[in-house]
Amino acid sequence: MTNPLPIKFLETDLEALAGISGRIALLVAPDDNAARSPAARRLNRLTKGALNRFLGSDAWGKVKPGEATDLAWPAGLQAEALQIVKAGPRADVATARKAGAAIGKAVGKAGVLVLAGSMLRAADVSFGLALRAYDFEPHKTAEPTARGPVQMMVKDPEAVALAANPMAAVAEGVFFTRDLVNEPANVLTTDDFAARLAAMQELGLEVEILEEEALEALGMGALLGVGQGSDSPSKVVVMQWNGGGEEAPFALVGKGVVFDTGGISIKPAAGMEEMTMDMGGAGVVAGVMRTLALRRAKANVVGLVGLVENMPDGRAQRPGDVVKSMKGDTIEVINTDAEGRLVLADVLWYAQERFKPVGMINLATLTGAIIIALGHENTGVFSNDDGLCDAFLTACKSEGEGAWRMPMGDAYDAKLKSRIADMMNVGGRDGGAITAAQFLKRFVKEGMPWCHLDIAGTALVKTDTTLAPKGATGWGVMALDRLIRDRFEG
Ligand code: BES
Ligand code: MN
Ligand code: ZN
């Protein structure tokens, strides 16, 4: 997997600055129009006043908080660039991470020395730096992008390193998710996906793989119907992290469609290649479980993913077929492209039957309709429980991950009525993301606090975001880790 850049924290050493040969990133408060910190004054002296000329200029005034400008090949320094980053000692979390991302985006093979001084949120700078310095290159034959050593000079290196530790675990979880989501479907088959999850046993997670026979015995006809046209076997993978006491776990459930052609209700060719990301929900669940294990979280969490491939084939499920879910309800499959909900129906039910969780959150790249509603900025959040939902939205806010609550209601649910079975798998075009959520809700037991996150718009994006290059974002790993920390590790 792609590993985050390791970052070393040390005490500020002004004597070293002149001889640094990579990049130097200097954090400067927005209202500083001249060099003030000891490091800034030293750099100004070494560059014969160039730094002060820049800080006094209109150009510096136009730099936004968290953004940066390069003074390239500065006279008086060995460095290739002096990067001036706008973030003061009291910058908030979002600005500190954004500042780190500006540094991480630029870091090359000669590495970077970050001068953060007495900044309160120096650990968040390192976190943003690590998250943005991500490259997915296993399928490029050219030399991989080299990113050199990262050192941060801070006032109290031990304290910053201590704060940065759990963040490094989150960065590693995010990278795991991004790698899974970016991976093409001829590589990330259901077998390969399950093997990557099984490898996390090394970290102390308990990982079980349920194969098709076991799923049949459990009665998971909805999930199995989706995968029956594929040569790759359908699977459910269960990952348990038991870092808490004896209490029931919290459950995370993910849609893991390794490729979604639409099945017999086949999708148009244009853009179909994007459906390699249709395992994004499962990818996030896997990333969170990895983070929990890496930081030895004091909570009980179980992650379950349904891994299938939706293919057209002589054995594939047809529109009009009726399948029976593990719950016992029958479903008329009007459209084989509405497959994610069929997978989740069975995994959600299994999660509740086996683990009696205290609450449950599922993630899925479930509908194109949520992209029409919210674009790529916010995940659609659906819930039957205001307490859990508000706690999750708060976690999203503090981690800077966009999320927006969507409505639910009986009138939407009524659209799922079938003539010949207990329900249909689609409820028409109108409110398509909501009827999909209503379908899932039918497989959530009365009184079970639950959220459904439709991440179709946020799992993978075509433009760079603050903390990620274009492609897989890892959306949700940070917020879910935060929720678990705040709600169960209090
Ligand atoms: N995986 C898709 C949803 C999707 C669309 C994810 C675009 C990411 C980007 C899902 O399985 C699907 O095909 N949904 C259909 C449902 C419809 C048939 C009711 C959709 O959204 O068109
Ligand atoms: Mn589909
Ligand atoms: Zn799908």
Side-chain angles (χ1 to χ4, degrees):
M1 70 160 275
T2 313
N3 284 308
L5 278 175
I7 299 177
K8 241 166 88 187
F9 301 97
L10 30 135
E11 268 174 60
T12 307
D13 174 8
L14 298 181
E15 300 311 317
L17 301 185
I20 295 288
S21 58
R23 297 172 59 84
I24 297 178
L26 174 71
L27 302 185
V28 178
D31 43 6
D32 279 3
N33 52 12
R36 302 227 191 282
S37 69
R41 276 182 293 154
R42 171 64 63 101
L43 287 169
N44 184 52
R45 205 162 345 116
L46 288 167
T47 59
K48 305 199 169 49
L51 179 57
N52 267 352
R53 283 198 291 129
F54 172 66
L55 293 175
S57 74
D58 287 349
W60 172 242
K62 287 190 184 120
V63 173
K64 297 197 186 88
E67 292 181 357
T69 296
D70 262 17
L71 308 188
W73 308 108
L77 297 180
Q78 293 290 307
E80 18 180 281
L82 176 55
Q83 187 181 26
I84 318 298
V85 190
K86 195 171 263 192
R90 294 176 186 288
D92 60 17
V93 170
T95 306
R97 289 182 184 178
K98 194 172 174 190
I103 302 166
K105 184 179 176 181
V107 59
K109 69 168 177 238
V112 62
L113 172 70
V114 184
L115 297 165
S118 57
M119 190 186 199
L120 219 60
R121 307 255 181 230
D124 279 289
V125 174
S126 74
F127 186 46
L129 195 166
L131 286 175
R132 187 60 184 74
Y134 172 84
D135 310 287
F136 183 73
E137 298 177 327
H139 304 295
K140 300 232 190 205
T141 55
E143 277 286 292
T145 305
R147 294 184 186 271
V150 180
Q151 301 192 311
M152 272 182 84
M153 288 185 174
V154 294
K155 190 153 169 235
D156 187 348
E158 284 80 39
V160 177
L162 206 66
N165 251 335
M167 297 183 193
V170 178
E172 204 175 305
V174 170
F175 275 32
F176 191 57
T177 302
R178 288 180 186 169
D179 279 358
L180 289 165
V181 172
N182 281 326
E183 198 70 90
N186 61 330
V187 176
L188 193 77
T189 58
T190 56
D191 285 312
D192 183 72
F193 199 152
R196 293 187 194 201
L197 300 181
M200 289 206 291
Q201 286 173 128
E202 282 170 30
L203 305 175
L205 283 162
E206 212 173 289
V207 183
E208 261 169 88
I209 302 174
L210 308 187
E211 303 287 354
E212 281 181 355
E213 283 142 57
L215 305 180
E216 253 157 53
L218 286 163
M220 293 199 186
L223 180 148
L224 286 166
V226 175
Q228 77 191 28
S230 171
D231 282 346
S232 292
S234 300
K235 297 170 197 287
V236 169
V237 181
V238 181
M239 295 161 272
Q240 295 185 68
W241 176 255
N242 295 312
E246 290 304 303
E247 69 275 11
F250 190 73
L252 299 174
V253 175
K255 167 181 173 181
V257 176
V258 294
F259 195 77
D260 180 14
T261 63
I264 298 300
S265 312
I266 198 161
K267 289 179 180 294
M272 200 202 276
E273 72 283 354
E274 243 188 64
M275 287 302 120
T276 56
M277 54 74 99
D278 210 20
M279 32 54 65
V284 174
V285 172
V288 175
M289 296 310 295
R290 189 177 190 92
T291 292
L292 297 177
L294 286 169
R295 68 171 182 80
R296 323 297 302 172
K298 290 189 171 50
N300 293 341
V301 180
V302 57
L304 303 99
V305 296
L307 307 181
V308 302
E309 186 180 36
N310 189 19
M311 295 290 269
D313 180 79
R315 284 164 304 151
Q317 135 169 295
R318 291 157 289 258
D321 282 4
V322 174
V323 295
K324 190 171 205 152
S325 65
M326 180 182 172
K327 180 185 175 192
D329 289 357
T330 57
I331 304 160
E332 185 186 5
V333 180
I334 297 295
N335 189 322
T336 64
D337 196 12
E339 84 296 341
R341 62 198 76 180
L342 297 170
V343 173
L344 288 174
D346 279 339
V347 185
L348 285 168
W349 196 257
Y350 177 70
Q352 295 166 93
E353 287 279 294
R354 175 163 169 200
F355 293 103
K356 314 260 179 304
V358 292
M360 191 163 66
I361 293 185
N362 75 258
L363 299 99
T365 49
L366 203 63
T367 68
I370 200 67
I371 308 178
I372 303 299
L374 300 175
H376 298 279
E377 311 304 321
N378 284 285
T379 284
V381 182
F382 301 82
S383 184
N384 62 355
D385 187 279
D386 292 347
L388 178 61
C389 189
D390 289 347
F392 180 67
L393 291 171
T394 302
C396 289
K397 196 153 244 157
S398 53
E399 296 300 319
E401 292 189 306
W404 194 260
R405 188 166 184 181
M406 299 283 291
M408 298 190 75
D410 292 342
Y412 296 105
D413 183 78
K415 307 263 242 173
L416 297 169
K417 200 167 159 53
S418 161
R419 179 176 61 84
I420 65 165
D422 296 337
M423 70 194 85
M424 304 193 295
N425 75 329
V426 293
R429 263 174 65 81
D430 304 352
I434 308 176
T435 49
Q438 295 292 158
F439 182 95
L440 297 181
K441 184 166 179 281
R442 288 175 174 234
F443 298 89
V444 175
K445 293 186 179 182
E446 195 64 43
M448 171 63 59
W450 160 77
C451 291
H452 153 52
L453 312 178
D454 194 336
I455 60 171
T458 48
L460 183 102
V461 296
K462 290 200 164 72
T463 51
D464 292 7
T465 55
T466 304
L467 297 178
K470 57 176 163 283
T473 59
W475 186 98
V477 174
M478 296 191 294
L480 287 166
D481 181 66
R482 168 62 51 203
L483 177 79
I484 289 159
R485 200 184 282 260
D486 290 351
R487 206 171 166 87
F488 302 107
E489 302 178 72

